[in-house]
Amino acid sequence: MRQAIAAAMGVVAVAAVVGLAPAASAQTADVFENTVVSRYPDGGWVKHWFNRDGSYAAEFSDGRRLAARWRVEGERVCLNGIRPSVMMISRFCSPLIEASLGESWTSRDPLGRRVQNVLQQGR
C-alpha cells in the first residue's frame, strides 16, 4: 500500500542545517506509526514524527528537537508554529510525495539543501 507523505524536511535542518519535516494525508496510516528520516550529505539526519492529532515532532542528529502542528493544504503538507523558532521560520510547506514503507525520495529543506528521505518502520 502506498502512503502519501510530505517531504518537507528542512525546518529541522534550518536550526543546524535543519530540516523541516514531512507529513501525511488523513488516509495515510503508515506515516503515523513510523518515522520519516531525512539524511544530509554531511552525515547529519533528522527524524520526523507525524501524529494523528496534528502534532509533529523532530529530532536532529545533534540532539536538538522541534515541535509544530502539521496540516495538509491542497497538494502540500505544512508545518505551523514551529518551536523553537528556527532562523525566524515558523511555517514551512512541502509538496506531498507518495512513498511506501522503506522507499526513499529526494527533497529540499527550507534553505534549499537536498535531503534524502525514507519512510522507516517503527518509531
Side-chain angles (χ1 to χ4, degrees):
M1 176 171 142
R2 306 216 22 106
Q3 306 306 321
I5 62 183
M9 313 298 60
V11 129
V12 230
V14 143
V17 179
V18 190
L20 237 190
S25 68
Q27 76 254 23
T28 308
D30 279 358
V31 77
F32 300 121
E33 300 163 1
N34 296 296
T35 303
V36 175
V37 179
S38 301
R39 297 189 186 282
Y40 286 84
D42 67 0
W45 51 262
V46 180
K47 293 181 179 179
H48 308 269
W49 297 284
F50 293 85
N51 300 306
R52 293 179 193 278
D53 67 0
S55 63
Y56 162 86
E59 179 181 1
F60 292 83
S61 53
D62 67 3
R64 284 175 298 130
R65 294 178 179 266
L66 286 179
R69 301 289 301 167
W70 69 269
R71 187 170 86 188
V72 173
E73 297 179 11
E75 296 296 315
R76 305 179 313 162
V77 61
C78 296
L79 296 178
N80 297 291
I82 298 166
R83 302 169 317 277
S85 180
V86 179
M87 294 180 65
M88 305 306 284
I89 296 176
S90 64
R91 176 178 167 82
F92 180 79
C93 296
S94 180
L96 287 172
I97 303 296
E98 284 197 18
S100 299
L101 193 62
E103 188 173 354
S104 64
W105 68 98
T106 302
S107 66
R108 293 195 180 268
D109 73 9
L111 297 179
R113 295 173 294 195
R114 285 186 184 267
V115 294
Q116 187 67 30
N117 308 295
V118 65
L119 180 56
Q120 184 174 297
Q121 186 172 14
R123 285 242 164 170

